[in-house]
Amino acid sequence: MLEEASEVLESVLKASCLPLSVLLFVPAVLLLLGPPPAAEAAHEFTVYRMQQYELGGQPYGTRSAVLNTEARTVEADVLSRRCVMMRLVDFSYEQYQKALRQSAGAVVIILPRSISSVPQDVVRQFMEIEPEMLAMETIVPVYFAVEDEELLSIYEQTRAASASQGSASAAEVLLHTATANGFQMVTSGAQSKAINDWLIPSVEGRLTGLGGEDLPTVVIVAHYDSFGVAPWLSHGADSNGSGISVLLELARLFSRLYTYRRTHAGYNLLFFASGGGKFNYQGTKRWLEDNLDHTDSSLLQDNVAFVLCLDTLGRGNSLHLHVSKPPKEGTLQHAFLRELETVVASQFPEVKFSMVHKKINLAEDMLAWEHERFAIRRLPAFTISHLESHRDSLRNSIMDRRARIDTKALTRNAQIIAEALTRVIYNLTEKGAPADMQIFTDQMQIQQEQLESVMDWLSSQPRAAQLIDKDSTFLNTLEYCMGRYLKDVKQHHVKADKRDPEFVFYDQLKQVMNAYRVKPAIFDLLLAVCIAAYLGVAYVAVQHFGLLYKMIQRLSLKTKQHIARDLFPEHEFVQVVVRGVEWQSDLDVESWTCAHPDPVRGLLLVQSQRRVGLGGDTGQ
């Protein structure tokens, strides 16, 4: 039996004309030189975790950061302990709740590369969902990822595998489950933990008025931080990058006016870029406490004319002055209101202006507008914005990007505010200045290019309060910009109380996720069955190799007889056996056909000039 097997192997090598080493090592070399691309086996990408913080002892956002589970899409019937992948264009709050109800292991929401390319109806829907996602405490980790080709490929393969689970046939489900590719989603970071001693910085600067010590002070405030469902994706272009850009432009304009004695007004101007605005205005709250409760000399203690808060000024054809208490006639805040109405009506009639009165609701966890922090301390204050309601979802969304800013509207709003403020400070209406007289023209005009560059800088980076510390590049740049125009520029810091913290931030907001290509457990089972079957067949073949060899020999002979008849259809063949070798005779031409001169291959026609009998020795 072993001799016959050796004979077959030698025949194969002889027929292939290749050495044994080539047959053994070439396949291995090809496997080494041609592996699948790395992205097909594993893909690494950056993910951004949903907000996790505590405000006033109330937790918000997700409570977990660790992920190590298999990927599925919402089309799958079973989502328990799975990482549910969703695309923004297909995202809905119902699908999100479905994943959480089924105890999904995690949720990954895939965002497009460019938010501006997303249809507006999808943007509005997601902006409305964001507050609801944060309002509920979520146990499982929720991540956001920006799509790329590999990630989209993973999503499509996962979606196909998830959809196949709804097939009608159980056999189809079993087959597809065994052959489909799965992906194990794994994060590289550890479980999130609270950040101790986190500081929320703010920056202030001033322009001192001319004419004595007890001058009225006008305070101009805007919070710089942004907010959204994911801190690292919160760029806050309109809320409140637009407010900071207008604050810096006002600082530039009035610094020039205060440079010359002829235009140096009798008002102190105090500029404050506050931090923690999205967390109930923590920076403003501590700043007021430091200036009103913990010091004897402060501009906020002496004679505050009014506080003007700037918020969401980057688009729209309307302006609203939000107040907690309508200003009384004869006060400077009432004069500012009238000057705003005058400037809008005479110079910008296309703009719709109104005053919105809303009382402070101390029962709510969050204040509506920043001016309410000042109103609580009995300082006259209001907020100017193009939004009519503080509940507008634009104020707290990752969809608030640079593309949503109308630079012309931003420039126009900055000019309206600057014109009205100047008319109040210099008392121009009482001096007989025409209502349609534009103050900031020629070299003193509002610089749209500078507003654009400031907006580009602000909206190019996330400015969530958890990401901005006192040494951050953003804060140093902001302090430098204010220092170009203002005096006594300095930082103020807020640190939560250790015993009863008003706010608590958590880390692990940005991580690296790996998607590893894996096969399901049933694939391993089927593979083991196939290997066992193969070994069983190989064992039987070795034990009965002689029988197998004769069977293959007969099948090969029949095949070659059919070939010969196809080549010579006009001849009649007779089969004989001479010394165990099968021969065929063509009776018409007295020729012999040797079917097996080589036990394996070949068809050789041997011509003979005589007839031989069955069992003879001639013709060999």
Side-chain angles (χ1 to χ4, degrees):
M1 178 178 64
L2 295 178
E3 294 179 358
E4 292 175 348
S6 176
E7 180 183 357
V8 172
L9 179 60
E10 291 177 0
S11 301
V12 170
L13 293 177
K14 185 185 300 182
S16 65
C17 301
L18 293 173
L20 178 61
S21 59
V22 174
L23 294 178
L24 293 178
F25 291 109
V26 166
V29 173
L30 292 177
L31 289 174
L32 292 175
L33 295 179
E40 293 185 3
H43 178 52
E44 182 180 282
F45 56 98
T46 303
V47 290
Y48 310 96
R49 194 164 68 94
M50 180 194 282
Q51 290 270 8
Q52 182 182 3
Y53 65 94
E54 296 177 10
L55 189 61
Q58 178 69 29
Y60 293 90
T62 181
R63 312 304 294 171
S64 180
V66 177
L67 170 61
N68 187 354
T69 185
E70 191 175 352
R72 288 288 187 274
T73 62
V74 292
E75 288 80 8
D77 295 332
V78 178
L79 301 178
S80 177
R81 298 190 301 277
R82 299 291 186 270
C83 175
V84 182
M85 303 180 68
M86 306 178 183
R87 291 186 66 187
L88 178 64
V89 293
D90 305 322
F91 180 81
S92 69
Y93 191 59
E94 291 73 20
Q95 292 178 337
Y96 179 72
Q97 287 185 316
K98 172 189 174 183
L100 298 183
R101 283 196 305 267
Q102 294 193 22
S103 301
V107 176
V108 175
I109 301 174
I110 303 175
L111 304 176
R113 293 186 182 92
S114 175
I115 298 295
S116 59
S117 63
V118 181
Q120 288 302 308
D121 57 336
V122 176
V123 172
R124 286 192 297 268
Q125 177 186 356
F126 187 77
M127 288 170 60
E128 295 173 357
I129 292 174
E130 282 186 75
E132 299 181 27
M133 295 175 64
L134 290 174
M136 59 185 301
E137 184 179 1
T138 307
I139 304 300
V140 302
V142 179
Y143 284 100
F144 295 82
V146 180
E147 68 180 17
D148 54 32
E149 293 183 3
E150 292 82 359
L151 186 56
L152 286 180
S153 176
I154 291 172
Y155 173 79
E156 293 298 336
Q157 294 180 59
T158 305
R159 185 178 184 181
S162 300
S164 68
Q165 295 181 0
S167 303
S169 172
E172 292 180 5
V173 175
L174 181 63
L175 179 62
H176 191 87
T177 302
T179 57
N181 290 316
F183 293 92
Q184 190 78 8
M185 315 301 284
V186 182
T187 53
S188 59
Q191 177 59 21
S192 61
K193 61 181 183 299
I195 304 175
N196 298 320
D197 300 327
W198 182 261
L199 296 177
I200 297 180
S202 302
V203 184
E204 78 162 73
R206 66 184 65 189
L207 292 173
T208 305
L210 180 66
E213 296 181 357
D214 191 21
L215 296 176
T217 299
V218 174
V219 185
I220 302 173
V221 181
H223 66 272
Y224 64 77
D225 56 311
S226 56
F227 189 84
V229 68
W232 276 96
L233 298 175
S234 304
H235 291 245
D238 198 4
S239 179
N240 192 31
S242 62
I244 287 292
S245 63
V246 173
L247 181 143
L248 292 176
E249 183 65 9
L250 292 177
R252 183 187 70 84
L253 293 174
F254 283 98
S255 68
R256 296 190 63 180
L257 290 175
Y258 275 46
T259 301
Y260 306 101
R261 185 177 183 83
R262 183 171 59 88
T263 56
H264 200 154
Y267 282 82
N268 297 318
L269 298 182
L270 185 58
F271 293 83
F272 184 58
S274 62
K278 301 299 185 179
F279 294 91
N280 214 12
Y281 307 104
Q282 294 294 328
T284 301
K285 179 183 178 182
R286 181 61 58 86
W287 186 60
L288 287 172
E289 292 174 352
D290 292 342
N291 283 275
L292 298 179
D293 301 335
H294 304 147
T295 184
D296 295 332
S297 60
S298 170
L299 291 179
L300 295 178
Q301 285 181 335
D302 300 334
N303 184 10
V304 176
F306 58 84
V307 180
L308 175 61
C309 300
L310 309 173
D311 197 329
T312 52
L313 297 165
R315 56 183 300 165
N317 290 318
S318 61
L319 278 178
H320 304 280
L321 191 69
H322 298 269
V323 299
S324 302
K325 184 179 180 180
K328 295 181 180 180
E329 291 190 20
T331 60
L332 282 175
Q333 54 265 34
H334 185 268
F336 181 70
L337 172 61
R338 290 290 173 255
E339 294 295 354
L340 279 174
E341 294 175 341
T342 300
V343 171
V344 170
S346 60
Q347 301 180 27
F348 304 95
E350 73 279 4
V351 177
K352 177 184 176 182
F353 177 78
S354 67
M355 183 184 72
V356 180
H357 175 215
K358 177 191 173 299
K359 293 183 178 180
I360 302 175
N361 186 358
L362 296 178
E364 293 184 355
D365 296 333
M366 291 284 296
L367 295 177
W369 299 98
E370 191 162 12
H371 74 267
E372 295 183 354
R373 277 291 175 205
F374 295 89
I376 292 174
R377 301 304 300 261
R378 300 186 181 279
L379 295 176
F382 27 66
T383 298
I384 187 167
S385 170
H386 73 80
L387 299 177
E388 189 173 4
S389 172
H390 68 282
R391 300 187 185 278
D392 195 298
S393 56
L394 176 66
R395 299 183 68 203
N396 301 293
S397 175
I398 62 174
M399 297 297 166
D400 184 10
R401 298 298 181 97
R402 177 66 175 87
R404 299 183 64 86
I405 297 295
D406 183 352
T407 308
K408 292 183 178 180
L410 178 63
T411 305
R412 179 203 64 207
N413 293 337
Q415 183 159 359
I416 291 174
I417 296 170
E419 295 276 347
L421 190 58
T422 304
R423 295 178 75 90
V424 170
I425 291 176
Y426 293 93
N427 199 19
L428 296 181
T429 299
E430 296 295 329
K431 294 178 180 179
D436 59 350
M437 182 187 73
Q438 289 193 0
I439 302 170
F440 295 98
T441 58
D442 300 331
Q443 295 182 355
M444 286 291 294
Q445 67 180 349
I446 306 294
Q447 294 184 357
Q448 180 173 329
E449 295 80 6
Q450 180 160 329
L451 282 173
E452 286 182 345
S453 62
V454 172
M455 280 304 310
D456 291 340
W457 165 62
L458 289 169
S459 58
S460 65
Q461 55 196 315
R463 304 189 314 279
Q466 303 98 314
L467 309 179
I468 305 297
D469 60 21
K470 61 184 181 66
D471 298 320
S472 65
T473 302
F474 166 77
L475 196 71
N476 291 332
T477 305
L478 178 61
E479 188 175 2
Y480 168 78
C481 292
M482 294 180 66
R484 292 178 59 188
Y485 312 121
L486 307 176
K487 305 296 183 181
D488 300 328
V489 176
K490 57 184 178 180
Q491 292 188 18
H492 285 267
H493 302 137
V494 181
K495 184 168 67 173
D497 185 77
K498 292 185 178 180
R499 291 176 298 179
D500 186 18
E502 292 191 27
F503 62 90
V504 178
F505 296 149
Y506 289 80
D507 59 6
Q508 301 296 336
L509 298 175
K510 180 181 179 181
Q511 294 193 23
V512 174
M513 182 176 291
N514 292 277
Y516 297 103
R517 185 185 296 272
V518 295
K519 287 291 186 180
I522 191 173
F523 174 80
D524 297 334
L525 177 61
L526 293 180
L527 182 61
V529 171
C530 293
I531 293 175
Y534 166 76
L535 294 177
V537 171
Y539 176 79
V540 173
V542 171
Q543 292 295 322
H544 305 280
F545 188 81
L547 180 62
L548 179 63
Y549 175 74
K550 292 180 179 180
M551 182 178 66
I552 294 176
Q553 189 179 37
R554 294 193 193 96
L555 293 176
S556 177
L557 174 60
K558 292 181 180 179
T559 301
K560 291 175 180 177
Q561 287 177 354
H562 288 302
I563 293 175
R565 290 191 175 92
D566 292 338
L567 293 175
F568 307 101
E570 69 279 6
H571 297 289
E572 180 179 359
F573 292 87
V574 175
Q575 177 176 320
V576 297
V577 177
V578 181
R579 288 190 176 177
V581 179
E582 297 177 354
W583 298 76
Q584 291 178 342
S585 171
D586 185 342
L587 300 180
D588 294 336
V589 296
E590 296 182 353
S591 63
W592 295 90
T593 301
C594 178
H596 290 284
D598 188 313
V600 178
R601 54 187 295 182
L603 180 62
L604 178 64
L605 297 177
V606 180
Q607 298 295 332
S608 175
Q609 299 300 325
R610 55 178 176 171
R611 297 177 182 271
V612 296
L614 294 177
D617 292 337
T618 59
Q620 297 184 42

